[in-house]
Amino acid sequence: MATQMFEGRGHAAVYQKYRFAPGEELQQTILTYLQEKRTNPAELVVDVGCGSGQGTRFLAEHFKKVVGTDISEAQIQEARDVPSVPNVSYLVCPAEELPFEDASVDLLASFTAVHWFDIEKFMREANRVLKPGGCVAISTYTVDMSLRYGNCSEKLTKIFRESWDVLLKYSHNKVKHVLEDYKEIFEALPFPDKKRITDIFDKIPMTVSRVVGYLESVSPYQAFMKNDPKAAKSLLQETEKRMLETMGVSSPETPVEFWVRHVCVLGCK
């Protein structure tokens, strides 16, 4: 059974506000792979576990018809509330029971979501819905993240990672797939023609407040909030305070460079 971690409307709103879209390097990795593998343009693309639609909107810029699916009604409502283009639609459904006919999908994509699925059932479903020659692009960002600002990049990264280390104590056991660079997910993909890329680095334009907001959006923080709301809120406040002091600025809207390492599993049926 899939693990449902992003169900509540409040969490979905935070997720929409602070989760970032796939970075340029990750986008290019996926698009280049598809150019190499496909002779015909993809007609139907499905973004599974789409959350509030950050990855879906990227796909919509490049493909004729894109459907985002998620098990969470709150997440899908957040996605629908964003002004979108006519070639995008959204459906509420489990990743393991996709409402598409056999051999009907050209590209099945998923961004930072597959580790929450029942992986064996999802892979069977991927095999069912993909056309012969159809492709899979499954990615996640890792906890290998760093911050850059002036001459205090190392100190900022240390502050950020110390906060992450606190949150990781509250992480679900399925996060191990992320910590292991999607190795098991790669092995479970039922196509011989596949590869796993573990060194995709993207620079995401952020501000101090958005970095702290990102921490608020992750599932371990939500678990921390349920366990000890006062300590959880204090962690975010202290993280922001320490970052601003280190940078020598007062505004949480001060821009910083946020660097993240992605892992991407690619395959062709």
Side-chain angles (χ1 to χ4, degrees):
M1 183 179 170
T3 305
Q4 295 170 233
M5 298 294 291
F6 306 94
E7 287 284 278
R9 191 66 204 258
H11 190 190
V14 169
Y15 198 96
Q16 172 68 280
K17 186 174 181 182
Y18 293 117
R19 284 298 175 106
F20 41 87
E24 288 183 14
E25 289 297 320
L26 176 60
Q27 291 184 24
Q28 285 307 311
T29 299
I30 293 169
L31 294 173
T32 301
Y33 179 78
L34 293 173
Q35 285 167 1
E36 290 170 0
K37 291 292 178 183
R38 293 194 58 84
T39 51
N40 301 318
E43 293 284 318
L44 175 59
V45 175
V46 179
D47 179 15
V48 188
C50 69
S52 45
Q54 286 85 346
T56 320
R57 292 189 286 276
F58 145 63
L59 294 168
E61 295 172 11
H62 300 278
F63 302 105
K64 187 175 178 180
K65 182 181 179 183
V66 181
V67 181
T69 74
D70 203 282
I71 199 167
S72 164
E73 289 187 22
Q75 290 281 7
I76 290 295
Q77 190 56 54
E78 287 289 339
R80 286 175 175 155
D81 286 348
V82 176
S84 198
V85 284
N87 61 328
V88 173
S89 58
Y90 293 99
L91 295 171
V92 177
C93 67
E96 303 82 2
E97 297 172 30
L98 298 171
F100 302 100
E101 294 180 6
D102 295 0
S104 63
V105 175
D106 295 287
L107 169 65
L108 205 62
S110 189
F111 300 94
T112 315
V114 171
H115 49 281
W116 298 117
F117 303 166
D118 180 319
I119 292 166
E120 186 180 339
K121 287 183 179 176
F122 170 69
M123 292 301 179
R124 280 204 301 269
E125 191 68 340
N127 194 29
R128 181 187 71 78
V129 301
L130 274 177
K131 293 177 181 176
C135 293
V136 169
I138 295 169
S139 68
T140 186
Y141 38 77
T142 67
V143 295
D144 186 2
M145 297 170 172
S146 62
L147 294 166
R148 296 184 192 175
Y149 181 85
N151 61 0
C152 58
S153 301
E154 282 188 25
K155 288 180 181 176
L156 279 182
T157 298
K158 184 171 182 286
I159 292 165
F160 178 80
R161 289 185 175 168
E162 284 171 358
S163 298
W164 242 125
D165 287 344
V166 173
L167 295 181
L168 280 173
K169 295 171 189 171
Y170 295 89
S171 63
H172 192 280
N173 61 7
K174 290 200 170 191
V175 174
K176 73 180 175 119
H177 292 298
V178 177
L179 301 177
E180 294 167 357
D181 284 352
Y182 269 21
K183 184 173 180 290
E184 280 187 42
I185 288 166
F186 170 72
E187 289 168 354
L189 189 65
F191 312 135
D193 184 355
K194 59 183 178 178
K195 64 180 177 178
R196 179 175 64 124
I197 306 167
T198 60
D199 58 351
I200 304 165
F201 290 89
D202 263 308
K203 177 177 75 173
I204 313 291
M206 296 278 255
T207 61
V208 172
S209 67
R210 292 192 73 81
V211 170
V212 175
Y214 165 72
L215 289 173
E216 186 185 356
S217 79
V218 300
S219 60
Y221 179 79
Q222 301 300 315
F224 190 13
M225 270 291 285
K226 286 179 184 172
N227 186 65
D228 191 341
K230 189 176 176 183
K233 289 174 185 173
S234 176
L235 175 71
L236 295 188
Q237 290 164 355
E238 189 63 21
T239 301
E240 182 175 286
K241 180 169 173 277
R242 290 175 67 199
M243 287 177 66
L244 292 173
E245 286 173 356
T246 300
M247 294 162 68
V249 299
S250 59
S251 172
E253 299 313 309
T254 304
V256 293
E257 286 184 9
F258 188 69
W259 284 83
V260 59
R261 180 174 67 87
H262 297 276
V263 171
C264 192
V265 172
L266 299 161
C268 189
K269 182 175 173 181

